[in-house]
Structures are given as C-alpha cells and as structure tokens.
C-alpha cells in the first residue's frame, strides 16, 4: 500500500471521527493506517548506521554519519533516538472557526545546563543547537495546509534569543508565572519577573518580519526540534477558496531515552529501534545497500492504542475541547492500565487530569475524581 493511500484513508477517518462522531482526531490511533504512517516515519527518519559513540566509545562527526546513512537510504536522526509514542492528530476546520495550537515550544528543560544536555555532543559541532536535538517532531500534512485553513508558523533559531538561553512557557498559568525561575545567569538560574518567550523573540515591530510561514501540500512534512517556537494559525471561515477544507495533520515524536523515554514498552511497535542492528549485520554480510528490515513489523494491540489516545487527551486537555465525561472516561481507562505507562509519563497524565477537573469545576473546587488522583504516586497511580 502506498503512502498516499494511507494518507487519504487517515484523513477520511479523522474527518469522520470529528464530524460524524464528534471525537478528537487523535482517536485515529485506534486504526492500523495511523501505524502504517508511523512505520513510514520510522523508516524515513531512523538511521541505518550506528555512530562510533556506540561502537567504539568515541565521537564521530555528524557529517560522516549522515553520509553513511544517505548512501544506504537511512534517515537523518541520531542513532540513539527512539520512537516515543507521543502522537497527536489535528482536524482544524475553518468553517468552525478553529485554530491550531497557540505559540509554544514542545519541551522546556528545567535549567540551562539541562537544556544544553538536550542536544547530542558532536565532534566538529561545538556550538550547542547546531548539534542534533534529543527530541524531534515529525509533522505530516494529510491535507493541504494553507493560509486559509491553518498552517504552521515558526520563529527560526537565529531570531529566537531563548532557543538556547532557556525560558518558561507557562501558557497562561498564573501561579507558575508568579513563582517562575528563568535561567540565563551564570549559576544556571535567574529570579526575575516573568517575561514570555514570544514577547522576547518579537520585541519590535520589525522583528515580526522574522516569522516564517510553512505551508505544506498533502503528504509533505516537517521535522523540527523541541526548542523551535511554533504555532498553528486560525482558519479563515470567510474564505471563498475552492480547496478551503479542514487542515488535517498527524505528528510523531522521536526522542533520546535519557531525555524522554517511550511512553509504553518499545516492543509494542517495531522494529523501529532495530534498524541499526540489522543494518550492521547486513553490512558485515556485504549487503548494506538500501536493504529493508526483514523483521516483521508489530503494531500496538487495541488496548495500548486506546490507552495512548486517553493519555494524550489528558496531557493536552487544554488544547482540545473535551467534556467532563470524556475526561473522566480517559482517566478511568488510564488508571485501569496505569502499569503499562512509563512512570514519569503516568504521573504527568494524572497531574494533568487534576488540572483539567479543576478548570472544569466551578469556583476552582476539585471534584471527587481529581481529589482521588491527588494522592496517587508512583505505582499507586
């Protein structure tokens, strides 16, 4: 089956979920076609050559590793990266006055030193930020992403003072703003009044000219790091363009296990992480030219797919219009299967459920469900 066929099917399923069943687009993870595309993402981005860091304990240049992988049809990611199951889907409909995510970074390390460690050290690439990131998003357009139906915008690294300096993106959380630490000082921290990253990146009217629009045709994609400031625009409900249908997209994340571990067991999906080992075996046998993995691909069982859907909806509850019954159902399912989730991710899921219930309750009173979660820690979650 061609990638274009998968793309068309996924877009159709997402439209049906959103319009007919009023379910968030991320429920597409229940279907094999979404995992077909995840597999294609793995095969396109994951390298087929391990670095000498793994084989000899020494550094090699990013350029030499890239050349090896290009020669053998491999991908652009660092060989220690893994598919981490952070998958989301979108259905942005201009007719419903919808918009993509507001300006944000995907990850914010706690200190400046942690931020520097969120990039791989590379020989010949001494400057942090020019090295490969340990968290990378692959964003795939399933329909055209245009100015009329919502497309992505970014502020490039060279125009963003906090890409490497560090910031706190609290996205409207008043309590966090009042207690924030920003870390540009020599000791790694700086106490001062909160200033949001977008304001610092766009201090003058001329600086708005640094914003870059990234339209994409259906089937085209983008790869960007955890530090890039990006957002999705609002669709134009008054557009008369013939092709002004919803902007439908899906994203897959790859990360270093030490930076952010896979949310569920790696063995549920693969052999995305075995490409390097198999490629090295092929190389030893003298047959390394664009040989596809011979191991059969395994997709997550339905229970794990539904668990990921529920967990992701709780994690990103502020970005989606979820009813209280939907939030409660997601929490109940995550609690039932909590031991399947990575411990750090599991704790974050339950914390976000507490926040969601607080936001939906009147006067900031937490309902019984959220109170129950407040006491959950570790394996008790």
């Amino acid at each position: 089956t061609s990638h274009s066929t998968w793309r068309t099917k996924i877009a159709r399923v997402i439209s049906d979920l959103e319009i007919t069943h009023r379910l968030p687009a991320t429920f597409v993870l229940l279907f094999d076609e979404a995992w077909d595309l995840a597999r294609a993402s793995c095969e396109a981005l994951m390298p087929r050559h391990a670095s000498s860091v793994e084989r000899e304990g020494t550094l090699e240049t990013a350029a030499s590793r890239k050349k090896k992988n290009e020669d053998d049809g491999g991908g652009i990611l660092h060989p220690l990266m893994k598919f981490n199951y952070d998958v989301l889907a979108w259905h942005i409909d201009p007719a419903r006055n919808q918009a993509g995510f507001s300006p944000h970074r995907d990850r914010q390390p706690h200190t400046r030193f942690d931020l520097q460690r969120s990039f791989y050290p590379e020989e010949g690439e001494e400057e942090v930020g020019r090295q490969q990131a340990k968290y990378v998003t692959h964003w795939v357009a399933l329909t055209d992403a245009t100015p009329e139906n919502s497309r992505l915008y970014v502020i490039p690294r060279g125009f963003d003072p906090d890409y490497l300096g560090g910031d706190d993106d609290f996205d409207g959380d008043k309590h966090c703003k009042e207690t924030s630490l920003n870390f540009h000082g020599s000791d790694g921290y700086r106490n001062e009044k909160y200033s949001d990253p977008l304001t610092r990146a766009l201090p003058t009217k001329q600086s708005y000219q640094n914003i870059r629009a990234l339209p994409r045709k259906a089937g085209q994609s983008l790869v960007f790091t955890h530090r890039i400031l990006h957002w999705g625009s609002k669709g134009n409900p008054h557009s008369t363009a013939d092709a002004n249908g919803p902007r439908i997209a899906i994203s897959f994340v790859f990360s270093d296990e030490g930076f952010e571990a896979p949310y569920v067991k790696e063995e549920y999906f693969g052999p995305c992480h075995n490409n390097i080992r198999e490629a090295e075996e092929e190389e030893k046998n003298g047959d390394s030219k664009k040989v596809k993995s011979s191991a059969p691909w395994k997709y997550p069982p339905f229970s794990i797919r539904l668990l990921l859907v529920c967990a992701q909806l709780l994690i990103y509850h502020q970005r989606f219009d979820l009813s209280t019954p939907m939030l409660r159902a997601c929490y109940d399912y995550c609690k039932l299967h909590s031991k399947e989730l990575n411990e750090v991710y599991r704790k974050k899921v339950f914390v976000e459920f507490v926040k969601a219930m607080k936001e939906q309750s009147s006067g900031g009173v937490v309902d019984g469900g959220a109170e129950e979660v407040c006491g959950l820690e570790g394996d008790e979650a």
Side-chain angles (χ1 to χ4, degrees):
T1 305
S2 69
H3 295 177
S4 62
T5 301
W6 297 338
R7 172 178 54 78
T8 302
K9 285 184 177 180
I10 297 169
R12 186 167 60 243
V13 169
I14 289 176
S15 291
D16 195 41
L17 286 168
E18 288 271 351
I19 297 171
T20 304
H21 302 287
R22 297 297 178 183
L23 290 172
T26 300
F27 271 92
V28 76
L29 291 183
L30 299 181
F31 298 86
D32 282 351
E33 285 78 8
W35 296 99
D36 288 337
L37 197 55
R39 171 182 174 174
S41 178
C42 280
E43 291 178 336
L45 298 184
M46 289 298 293
R48 293 179 61 79
H49 277 285
S51 72
S52 53
V53 173
E54 292 180 295
R55 291 188 285 207
E56 301 170 9
T58 59
L59 292 174
E60 75 170 345
T61 65
S64 63
R65 186 175 61 243
K66 180 180 178 182
K67 180 64 167 58
K68 291 178 185 177
N69 284 306
E70 286 177 347
D71 289 344
D72 283 359
I76 62 174
L77 297 182
H78 193 281
L80 297 182
M81 298 283 272
K82 296 182 177 182
F83 183 85
N84 86 341
Y85 296 95
D86 188 353
V87 184
L88 285 175
W90 294 267
H91 180 278
I92 309 300
D93 190 351
R96 295 160 64 184
N97 204 34
Q98 293 179 333
F101 284 7
S102 59
H104 67 284
R105 303 189 198 279
D106 286 338
R107 292 295 182 271
Q108 172 54 51
H110 294 299
T111 71
R112 183 185 60 181
F113 311 113
D114 289 335
L115 191 154
Q116 292 175 346
R117 287 193 291 267
S118 70
F119 293 86
Y120 288 106
E122 298 276 8
E123 183 179 331
E125 294 288 356
E126 300 298 332
E127 184 180 357
V128 175
R130 295 191 181 279
Q131 304 162 354
Q132 290 201 37
K134 294 183 179 179
Y135 184 102
V136 171
T137 298
H138 186 204
W139 188 94
V140 183
L142 301 174
T143 60
D144 292 351
T146 73
E148 297 301 296
N149 72 349
S150 177
R151 62 182 175 184
L152 292 191
Y153 290 81
V154 303
I155 298 179
R157 169 186 175 273
F159 301 113
D160 179 1
D162 294 324
Y163 183 92
L164 297 177
D167 51 34
D168 295 305
D169 187 357
F170 294 109
D171 205 17
D173 189 322
K174 180 177 181 294
H175 171 72
C176 287
K177 286 183 179 180
E178 292 174 346
T179 59
S180 68
L181 286 174
N182 209 324
F183 46 86
H184 291 278
S186 59
D187 60 352
Y189 291 94
R190 180 185 69 187
N191 288 290
E192 63 174 32
K193 185 177 179 180
Y194 177 78
S195 174
D196 74 90
L198 197 60
T199 298
R200 291 195 298 274
L202 302 171
T204 67
K205 61 183 181 181
Q206 289 82 11
S207 60
Y208 282 81
Q209 295 173 307
N210 297 329
I211 296 172
R212 298 292 185 267
L214 300 174
R216 282 297 180 269
K217 293 289 186 182
Q220 294 181 334
S221 63
L222 297 164
V223 177
F224 50 88
T225 78
H226 60 305
R227 296 301 298 157
I228 196 77
L229 267 174
H230 63 286
W231 61 92
S233 60
K234 177 177 282 190
N236 178 10
H238 309 295
S239 174
T240 58
D242 293 336
N244 195 37
R247 186 262 277 173
I248 303 175
I250 191 169
S251 68
F252 309 102
V253 169
F254 298 82
S255 63
D256 180 277
E257 187 171 13
F259 180 74
E260 184 168 301
Y263 296 166
V264 297
K265 296 175 183 176
E266 296 176 41
E267 63 209 50
Y268 284 135
F269 180 62
C272 188
H273 315 311
N274 295 331
N275 290 348
I276 293 171
R277 183 174 66 249
E278 293 189 2
E280 289 184 333
E281 289 301 318
E282 293 161 1
E283 186 175 6
K284 289 178 183 177
N285 296 329
D287 187 22
S288 63
K289 291 292 183 181
K290 300 184 180 181
V291 179
K292 295 294 184 181
S293 171
S294 58
W297 272 76
K298 184 177 181 180
Y299 290 177
F302 183 86
S303 61
I304 297 300
R305 299 183 195 192
L306 183 56
L307 178 61
L308 286 169
V309 170
C310 290
Q312 288 291 83
L313 291 180
L314 291 176
I315 289 289
Y316 294 97
H317 66 89
Q318 290 183 323
R319 310 290 188 175
F320 300 104
D321 185 17
L322 303 177
S323 65
T324 299
M326 173 73 77
L327 290 167
R328 162 60 71 176
C330 285
Y331 163 66
D332 288 343
Y333 193 81
C334 288
K335 184 179 179 184
L336 182 64
H337 297 277
S338 62
K339 292 188 183 298
E340 290 283 0
L341 298 173
N342 167 278
E343 182 179 358
V344 174
Y345 181 64
R346 179 174 68 241
K347 289 180 178 179
K348 185 176 179 182
V349 167
F350 291 130
V351 166
E352 290 302 321
F353 174 69
V354 173
K355 293 180 181 179
M357 299 307 290
K358 283 182 178 180
E359 291 171 5
Q360 295 209 0
S361 62
S362 60
V365 178
V366 183
D367 77 352
E371 288 174 350
E372 177 186 1
V373 178
C374 286
L376 295 177
E377 295 183 4
D379 290 338
E380 297 300 318

